[in-house]
């Protein structure tokens, strides 16, 4: 928007989770799409709000040079957001390609989660939780080395998936 340059830029950025209303409007409630329909327009929108950066997933067909130019135009920071593999045996090509996109954009980190939701709402038994935890660790065993190879750190968020002692274990193992 035209007034974006006039609004003071905050040192804080905006995560895609705070932009649900904007994304739903922009993509016409297409629930199959994650993140912005148009990342360049999203950068303009976040800047118009005064945001100094943005954290978001981007489509595979994003024009990375144009997006980087838009971020530079506004003097904004960028962090990627990535979905881990669902199972350790899944093809890691999508994951690695997305990491390479974020690396090309100059993202210092890519944020991710092992679980969306709350363990105490999503699991009906300790057995279900234990099975999830075993799978999540196996997925990290695959994904962390890929991120290391690409040269971009994963910033793990704990969305109430693990208790503190378990999270510390994960951080020690993969740090």
């Amino acid at each position: 928007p035209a007034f974006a340059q006039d609004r003071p830029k905050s040192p804080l950025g905006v995560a895609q989770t705070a932009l649900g209303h904007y994304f739903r409007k922009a993509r016409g409630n297409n629930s199959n799409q994650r993140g912005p329909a148009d990342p360049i327009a999203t950068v303009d929108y976040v800047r118009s709000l005064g945001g100094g950066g943005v954290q978001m997933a981007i489509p595979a067909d994003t024009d990375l040079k144009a997006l980087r130019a838009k971020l530079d135009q506004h003097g904004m920071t960028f962090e990627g957001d990535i979905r881990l593999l669902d199972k350790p045996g899944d093809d890691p090509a999508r994951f690695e390609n997305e990491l390479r996109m974020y690396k090309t954009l100059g993202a210092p980190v890519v944020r991710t989660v092992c679980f969306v939701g709350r363990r105490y709402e999503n699991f009906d038994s300790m057995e279900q939780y234990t099975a999830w935890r075993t799978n999540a660790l196996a997925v990290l065993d695959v994904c962390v080395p890929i991120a290391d190879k690409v040269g971009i750190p994963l910033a793990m968020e704990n969305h109430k998936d693990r208790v503190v002692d378990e999270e510390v274990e994960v951080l020690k193992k993969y740090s």
Side-chain angles (χ1 to χ4, degrees):
F3 61 86
Q5 296 301 326
D6 297 334
R7 185 161 288 182
K9 183 174 64 175
S10 170
L12 301 177
V14 176
Q16 71 181 20
T17 52
L19 297 170
H21 66 287
Y22 173 75
F23 290 160
R24 282 188 297 279
K25 182 178 175 186
R27 62 182 178 230
N29 291 322
N30 179 356
S31 61
N32 293 325
Q33 186 174 359
R34 184 170 180 260
D38 181 348
I40 294 170
T42 301
V43 168
D44 280 333
Y45 177 68
V46 169
R47 179 62 195 98
S48 77
L49 299 173
V54 64
Q55 172 201 329
M56 64 182 170
I58 58 173
D61 63 351
T62 298
D63 181 338
L64 300 178
K65 287 183 181 179
L67 179 55
R68 183 72 252 170
K70 182 58 71 173
L71 290 160
D72 290 343
Q73 174 191 339
H74 292 310
M76 293 173 67
T77 60
F78 177 82
E79 290 184 357
D81 190 291
I82 197 166
R83 194 183 91 242
L84 297 172
L85 302 177
D86 292 324
K87 297 178 183 142
D90 290 350
D91 181 6
R94 180 230 13 117
F95 181 75
E96 184 170 343
N97 290 339
E98 287 181 21
L99 286 174
R100 291 191 184 287
M101 285 190 332
Y102 297 130
K103 176 84 172 176
T104 298
L105 280 168
V109 298
V110 177
R111 296 197 177 270
T112 193
V113 297
C114 283
F115 182 73
V116 177
R118 295 174 174 93
R119 67 184 177 287
Y120 45 84
E121 292 176 351
N122 291 66
F123 301 115
D124 294 324
S125 68
M126 186 57 134
E127 291 78 24
Q128 286 179 343
Y129 174 71
T130 301
W132 165 81
R133 194 173 79 200
T134 300
N135 182 72
L137 290 173
V139 164
L140 288 173
D141 285 342
V142 173
C143 291
V144 170
I146 295 170
D148 289 344
K149 178 176 85 171
V150 171
I152 191 164
L154 295 175
M156 289 290 299
E157 298 178 8
N158 183 11
H159 286 196
K160 299 183 179 116
D161 24 343
R162 294 181 188 90
V163 294
V164 172
D165 291 346
E166 294 169 341
E167 187 67 11
V168 169
E169 242 178 73
V170 169
L171 293 173
K172 284 181 178 178
K173 180 176 181 180
Y174 298 104
S175 293

